[in-house]
Each structure stands twice: as C-alpha cells, then as structure tokens.
Amino acid sequence: MNLEKCLKKSAVVVVLIALFTGCSVKTIAVSSDAKQNLSNKTFTFVKRTGPLGPQTLTPGKALAIGLTGGVGAAIMGATGGLDAEELATKIPGAYISTELSKVFEEKYKMIKVLDNITTNESDIDELVQTYDNVDYLIDTQDLLWQVVYYPFNWGTYSVRYIGTLKLIDINSKKILAQGQCQYFPDYTENAPTYDEIFLEDSKLLKQMTKEGLDVCIKKYITEVL
C-alpha cells in the first residue's frame, strides 16, 4: 500500500496513540556496488513546498473527531502558529536534506547541483523527468509533523515526526536505498503546554522539532547511508 494513503487511513490511530501499524517503509541500505559508482556523480534534493506548519491535535479536536468521525480536517489539515514565510526555509525535510548533503559530498565525493525546481510529486517516473539534470536524486519527504497532546497527561504536548529518505538513480529509475524515521518522544515531567510551545516566535517548537530531526538524520546515516 502507498505509504501516504496508509497514513491517511490510519489517522484515527494518530488520535489515540499515533502508532502507524502497517505503514512502515522497508530499510534498504546503499549497497557496496552502488557506493563505488557515486564518486564524482551529480546529485540534488527534491524540494517540496510544504508543510507550512505542524499539524496540531488538542483534546478538543480529538473529541470532535470521536463525535463526528471528521478525521481529515482536524488531523490532516490543521496548522500551528509558525509564520509561513519563515517556514519556507525551515520545512523539516529541507533541514534533513541540508544536513545529509554533507554526507554525500564528504563521504561519497559527490557533486551537489543547486536548482530552484519545486514539486510535491512522489511518483518515481515523474521525479526522474523533473530532475533529469543530475545523476542521482535524494528525496526526503515529510509525512507527519505534529504537535500533539499526551493522551494520559492532558495539557502537555510533544512534537512528533515521520519522514522518509530515498536515493534514486536517475538513469535506471530505481531506488538504490531508502529508509523511514518515526520520532515519537516519551512523556517527561517537564513536557511543555500548548501555549509554551508557541511562545517567543515558536522558539520551543523549533527546538523540539530540530531534536527529532537530528535523531532521524543520525538514523539515516547509520542505517541507510
């Protein structure tokens, strides 16, 4: 099943515990043969236009979902308090891409190509046609970025994230490596309130998001690259 469709069908589970059973992506590490072909080859990253802020889930929204069954509006469409202009350069996947580019340049001696192409396409054939000016394409996709309350500690919140990484060979149109990261932090006594997360130009939200993304970057480097 397509991962994005699976996540949407599992939205009720997000409301309860945010466990996406059956929606995982199989980890495929870069093979030894593939690594030997990366040196001096060009690459770029898929640049996506969203999300323009984290999804938010409060007890009130969860109750509305329970009473009406309206999962889509509360879970998949709600946004937090970040300024859209600021987020244009601080989308989670973009941060991951920037950090991983160092690995491809330093570890594999690849050549990064900068461009202004943006897309929200996920189909491999479409991506290959869009980014046909390089040898390899790195796709870091945000599937979930969410400010959500702890079910057994109402009034306190965490930042959760799910994303994927794919290394695509433009010539063969094949995925050479891929991985998925799910960051759902455990409850702690100093967990912030909803208002605290968005105080001071969402300072805490940015900090908590970065902590999760750094965990994902480390996972990708260790298990995929």
Side-chain angles (χ1 to χ4, degrees), residues 140-167:
T140 52
Q141 188 169 1
D142 302 321
L143 300 180
L144 176 76
W145 181 22
Q146 185 181 63
V147 175
V148 59
Y149 73 98
Y150 284 102
F152 302 106
N153 293 277
W154 286 21
T156 59
Y157 287 75
S158 68
V159 173
R160 294 173 174 174
Y161 177 78
I162 300 178
T164 58
L165 165 68
K166 294 177 183 177
L167 171 62

Side-chain angles (χ1 to χ4, degrees), residues 28-31 34 38 136 167-169 172 174-178:
I28 302 175
V30 182
S31 68
L38 297 179
Y136 294 92
L167 171 62
I168 303 170
D169 185 327
S172 67
K174 292 182 178 180
I175 297 175
L176 299 184
Q178 66 179 18

Side-chain angles (χ1 to χ4, degrees), residues 56-184:
T56 60
L57 179 61
T58 63
K61 288 179 180 177
L63 178 60
I65 293 168
L67 293 175
T68 67
V71 173
I75 295 298
M76 309 311 288
T79 59
L82 289 187
D83 180 77
E85 182 177 351
E86 179 184 45
L87 271 174
T89 57
K90 295 184 178 179
I91 295 170
Y95 171 74
I96 293 176
S97 297
T98 299
E99 294 302 305
L100 289 183
S101 68
K102 301 172 186 177
V103 177
F104 290 101
E105 291 180 289
E106 297 172 7
K107 180 178 180 178
Y108 295 119
K109 309 303 179 184
M110 298 180 72
I111 303 168
K112 181 168 61 176
V113 175
L114 300 177
D115 58 52
N116 295 316
I117 302 173
T118 60
T119 182
N120 281 321
E121 183 59 62
S122 298
D123 180 74
I124 299 298
D125 290 335
E126 293 292 335
L127 289 174
V128 167
Q129 291 180 21
T130 301
Y131 296 93
D132 61 355
N133 60 324
V134 293
D135 299 307
Y136 294 92
L137 183 63
I138 317 302
D139 186 7
T140 52
Q141 188 169 1
D142 302 321
L143 300 180
L144 176 76
W145 181 22
Q146 185 181 63
V147 175
V148 59
Y149 73 98
Y150 284 102
F152 302 106
N153 293 277
W154 286 21
T156 59
Y157 287 75
S158 68
V159 173
R160 294 173 174 174
Y161 177 78
I162 300 178
T164 58
L165 165 68
K166 294 177 183 177
L167 171 62
I168 303 170
D169 185 327
I170 295 295
N171 294 322
S172 67
K173 299 183 180 181
K174 292 182 178 180
I175 297 175
L176 299 184
Q178 66 179 18
Q180 177 180 315
C181 181
Q182 298 186 15
Y183 177 73
F184 296 160

Side-chain angles (χ1 to χ4, degrees), residues 3-15:
L3 182 59
E4 293 172 276
K5 292 181 180 178
C6 184
L7 286 174
K8 290 178 181 179
K9 290 183 178 180
S10 302
V12 174
V13 183
V14 181
V15 176

